[in-house]
Amino acid sequence: GTHNSFNQTQCESYTWNGTTYTSSGNYLYNYTNGNGCASTDTLHLIVNYGTHNSFNQTQCESYTWNGTTYTSSGNYLYNYTNGNGCASTDTLHLIVNNGTHNSFNQTQCESYTWNGTTYTSSGNYLYNYTNAAGCASTDTLHLIINNGTHNSFNQTQCESYTWNGTTYTSSGNYLYNYTNAAGCASTDTLHLIINIPSTSLTQVSICSNLIPYVWNGQNITTSGTYQFHLLSSTSCDSIATLVLNITQSPTAPNVNSPVAYCQFENATALTATANFPLLWYNQPMGGTGYAAPPIPSTSIFGVQHYYMSANNGQCESERVNITVKVSLKPNVGPDKTISLCFNDSVNFSGLLNTTDLFVSWTLSGNSIATPSMVHIPGAYQMIANTAAGCRDTVNVRVSIQPQIIANAGVDQSIESNQIFTLQATGGLYYEWSPVSLVSNPNIANPTILLNHDTIFVLTVTDNAGCKDTDTVKIKVLNGPEIYMPNAFTPDGDGLNETIKPICTGIVQLENFKIFERFGKQVFETNIITKGWDGVYKNAKQPIGNYVYIIKATNRLGIPIFKKGNIILIR
């Protein structure tokens, strides 16, 4: 018999040998084959199904599902092939709700409260909320706010004033309530001043030196009673009455003016003559008088004015002025102490402020001309007078500092690129130049390290600031070595007067000997800075050729021996 086996996968159903199968399983088909034998085939069937999902969805405004956006409610299908490769359909049951958008128009006086918020000005206002459908919503209020009218009036009247049908006779603040054109409650305020007409009586007693007496534009010169009709300060009609009494004033005092003083001079009390007691003032009009005559102040130069009058107990005379002129005391300057450097001088003419003054000088009490080149120590005095006769005196003490002499040391020959110490004397403060070539430019003995010839300038200063300068020439030679000149001229001209070895890097000179041409020794020393001046046993040696021998030790500890000839020239 035949026995076949088939594997089959289908969606939903499968028909085999006339039979339709809708579920997975193993199925048999019995038949007689071509050989007439009973046979059976076997079907191994897998049936897959399409997917059918259903969704319920409620949204506001719109909903996007599988790439499509829906804005209205409805049932929507989505067809696709599922993971088993079968045709599938999902169903969306959609409800779309929308937000609420209401608009309101409102007109109110002063303010309006909407949804819990109070508005006091016109405008368009929004209220955001979630409606019953759960959607974001916005209402709009178109609001017009009208305000009540509040006017304020200031009014001043005599006797009475009528306002909005009411007459008022006393001052005060009054209100008028009404509804304005916008339909809003309004209030106007009246600030009212009611003035009453008045009368006045003025009684005046004056002294004759004060006439005419001016009253309401009238010049009055005699005693009497006077009336004047006028508007008062409140613009109401008033009557003013003046009762005037005039008393005769004393005659003005006699004075001597001006009175002159120099600044800081002792002053005496001012004087004047009159038939009645005097009153003194510091101003020409007004103020309070005092009986004691003033003593002018001379501490400040300038013009002062004092005033006095005669007083008979009722009236005063006209005030009379006394002018006090205080002339400036010259201030040529304070006393001075001048310390001059040796051989310096000072010009007294520019030392003090003597412009436009008459000046005289003394030295220890003796008159001298105005000193312009002072170099003599002593006690000088100057008296300066102004054209007004005021003077100032100044004492000037002059001293001379001891001479200061800078000494930078003798000219030296030193070894190249070896530390050498300069030796200076003569001052309290030191300053070397060039600054960059010394270890410290402000000490007496700085060190140097050179590779070329250099001239150093030394400036020394004492405690008074006096200065002097000196130079020292430093010649730089290769070393350690001894260099010997071949001639010298001890002829008394100050140049090349001695001969000595020039030592660089030499720490010890054992001996330096000189022999004349016949072998007699004429000089010997072991001092490295000492030379021969051409004298032997107090006698000048003749010109000619001489022989020298030098034995020394250099800084490396190596002995040095030199021998050669020198020439003495006169």
Side-chain angles (χ1 to χ4, degrees), residues 26 44 62 71 73 113 165 181 249 251 260 272 387-388 412 420 431-432 477 524 533-534:
N26 295 315
H44 303 287
S62 66
T71 58
S73 300
T113 299
S249 300
T251 302
Q412 296 279 352
F420 178 77
E431 183 178 350
W432 288 93
L477 301 173
E524 180 182 12
D533 60 1

Short mmCIF file of all heavy atoms in Angstrom, two decimals, residues 26 44 62 71 73 113 165 181 249 251 260 272 387-388 412 420 431-432 477 524 533-534:
data_model
loop_
_atom_site.label_atom_id
_atom_site.label_comp_id
_atom_site.label_asym_id
_atom_site.label_seq_id
_atom_site.Cartn_x
_atom_site.Cartn_y
_atom_site.Cartn_z
N ASN A 26 -3.59 16.42 12.61
CA ASN A 26 -3.04 15.41 11.69
C ASN A 26 -4.25 14.65 11.08
O ASN A 26 -5.05 14.06 11.81
CB ASN A 26 -2.12 14.43 12.43
CG ASN A 26 -0.89 15.15 12.97
OD1 ASN A 26 -0.29 15.95 12.27
ND2 ASN A 26 -0.52 14.83 14.22
N HIS A 44 -0.22 16.70 7.91
CA HIS A 44 0.14 17.42 9.16
C HIS A 44 -0.21 18.90 8.92
O HIS A 44 0.55 19.63 8.25
CB HIS A 44 1.62 17.26 9.48
CG HIS A 44 2.05 15.81 9.60
ND1 HIS A 44 1.72 15.02 10.70
CD2 HIS A 44 2.77 15.00 8.76
CE1 HIS A 44 2.22 13.80 10.54
NE2 HIS A 44 2.85 13.76 9.35
N SER A 62 -8.84 65.62 18.79
CA SER A 62 -8.38 64.70 17.72
C SER A 62 -7.68 63.51 18.36
O SER A 62 -7.29 63.54 19.54
CB SER A 62 -7.43 65.42 16.76
OG SER A 62 -6.24 65.78 17.43
N THR A 71 -10.63 63.48 13.67
CA THR A 71 -11.12 64.65 14.41
C THR A 71 -12.62 64.54 14.71
O THR A 71 -13.20 65.49 15.26
CB THR A 71 -10.86 65.93 13.60
OG1 THR A 71 -11.50 65.82 12.31
CG2 THR A 71 -9.38 66.16 13.39
N SER A 73 -16.00 61.64 15.93
CA SER A 73 -16.33 60.33 16.49
C SER A 73 -16.71 59.36 15.36
O SER A 73 -17.18 59.76 14.28
CB SER A 73 -17.49 60.46 17.47
OG SER A 73 -17.14 61.32 18.52
N THR A 113 -16.32 91.39 38.67
CA THR A 113 -15.72 90.13 39.10
C THR A 113 -16.23 89.01 38.22
O THR A 113 -17.46 88.82 38.07
CB THR A 113 -16.05 89.84 40.58
OG1 THR A 113 -15.50 90.91 41.38
CG2 THR A 113 -15.42 88.53 41.02
N GLY A 165 -27.30 124.73 43.84
CA GLY A 165 -28.58 125.04 44.46
C GLY A 165 -28.53 125.19 45.96
O GLY A 165 -29.55 125.51 46.59
N ALA A 181 -22.77 110.70 33.18
CA ALA A 181 -23.31 110.31 31.87
C ALA A 181 -23.08 108.83 31.58
O ALA A 181 -23.78 108.23 30.77
CB ALA A 181 -22.66 111.17 30.76
N SER A 249 13.72 163.33 66.87
CA SER A 249 14.90 162.49 67.08
C SER A 249 16.12 163.34 67.44
O SER A 249 16.21 164.51 67.05
CB SER A 249 15.23 161.69 65.81
OG SER A 249 14.15 160.86 65.47
N THR A 251 20.21 164.63 67.46
CA THR A 251 21.17 164.89 66.39
C THR A 251 22.18 163.74 66.33
O THR A 251 22.55 163.17 67.34
CB THR A 251 21.91 166.21 66.66
OG1 THR A 251 20.94 167.26 66.75
CG2 THR A 251 22.91 166.53 65.54
N ALA A 260 42.74 153.29 61.34
CA ALA A 260 43.65 152.35 60.65
C ALA A 260 44.45 151.53 61.66
O ALA A 260 44.92 152.05 62.68
CB ALA A 260 44.60 153.11 59.73
N ALA A 272 33.04 158.23 69.85
CA ALA A 272 32.22 159.22 69.13
C ALA A 272 31.69 160.21 70.16
O ALA A 272 31.67 159.93 71.37
CB ALA A 272 31.09 158.55 68.38
N ALA A 387 53.47 149.31 52.26
CA ALA A 387 53.29 150.75 52.08
C ALA A 387 52.45 151.34 53.20
O ALA A 387 52.56 152.53 53.51
CB ALA A 387 52.62 151.02 50.73
N ALA A 388 51.61 150.48 53.86
CA ALA A 388 50.79 150.97 54.98
C ALA A 388 51.55 150.96 56.30
O ALA A 388 50.99 151.32 57.34
CB ALA A 388 49.54 150.11 55.10
N GLN A 412 92.26 100.13 38.70
CA GLN A 412 92.67 98.75 38.91
C GLN A 412 92.69 97.99 37.59
O GLN A 412 91.98 98.32 36.64
CB GLN A 412 91.69 98.03 39.86
CG GLN A 412 91.64 98.59 41.26
CD GLN A 412 92.77 98.09 42.12
OE1 GLN A 412 93.53 97.20 41.71
NE2 GLN A 412 92.92 98.65 43.31
N PHE A 420 85.49 90.80 41.68
CA PHE A 420 86.37 91.80 42.26
C PHE A 420 85.51 92.75 43.09
O PHE A 420 84.37 93.07 42.72
CB PHE A 420 87.10 92.57 41.16
CG PHE A 420 88.01 93.65 41.69
CD1 PHE A 420 89.24 93.34 42.24
CD2 PHE A 420 87.61 94.98 41.64
CE1 PHE A 420 90.06 94.35 42.73
CE2 PHE A 420 88.43 95.99 42.12
CZ PHE A 420 89.67 95.67 42.67
N GLU A 431 76.12 105.55 45.52
CA GLU A 431 75.41 105.21 44.29
C GLU A 431 76.43 104.98 43.18
O GLU A 431 77.20 105.88 42.83
CB GLU A 431 74.46 106.33 43.90
CG GLU A 431 73.61 106.01 42.67
CD GLU A 431 72.64 107.12 42.33
OE1 GLU A 431 72.50 108.05 43.15
OE2 GLU A 431 72.05 107.05 41.24
N TRP A 432 76.44 103.74 42.66
CA TRP A 432 77.38 103.37 41.60
C TRP A 432 76.68 103.35 40.25
O TRP A 432 75.51 103.02 40.15
CB TRP A 432 77.97 101.97 41.87
CG TRP A 432 78.94 101.91 43.02
CD1 TRP A 432 78.65 101.61 44.31
CD2 TRP A 432 80.34 102.14 42.97
NE1 TRP A 432 79.78 101.63 45.09
CE2 TRP A 432 80.86 101.96 44.28
CE3 TRP A 432 81.25 102.48 41.95
CZ2 TRP A 432 82.21 102.11 44.59
CZ3 TRP A 432 82.59 102.62 42.26
CH2 TRP A 432 83.06 102.44 43.56
N LEU A 477 91.94 92.24 32.16
CA LEU A 477 93.00 91.50 31.48
C LEU A 477 92.74 90.01 31.62
O LEU A 477 92.08 89.56 32.58
CB LEU A 477 94.37 91.85 32.08
CG LEU A 477 94.77 93.33 32.04
CD1 LEU A 477 96.04 93.54 32.82
CD2 LEU A 477 94.94 93.80 30.59
N GLU A 524 112.93 96.96 45.95
CA GLU A 524 112.37 95.65 46.29
C GLU A 524 111.12 95.87 47.12
O GLU A 524 111.06 96.75 47.99
CB GLU A 524 113.37 94.81 47.06
CG GLU A 524 112.80 93.41 47.42
CD GLU A 524 113.77 92.55 48.23
OE1 GLU A 524 114.78 93.09 48.72
OE2 GLU A 524 113.49 91.35 48.37
N ASP A 533 109.47 104.54 42.16
CA ASP A 533 109.36 105.90 41.65
C ASP A 533 110.64 106.42 41.04
O ASP A 533 110.80 107.62 40.79
CB ASP A 533 108.92 106.83 42.78
CG ASP A 533 109.89 106.85 43.95
OD1 ASP A 533 110.92 106.16 43.89
OD2 ASP A 533 109.60 107.57 44.95
N GLY A 534 111.63 105.51 40.78
CA GLY A 534 112.88 105.94 40.15
C GLY A 534 113.89 106.54 41.11
O GLY A 534 114.88 107.14 40.67
#
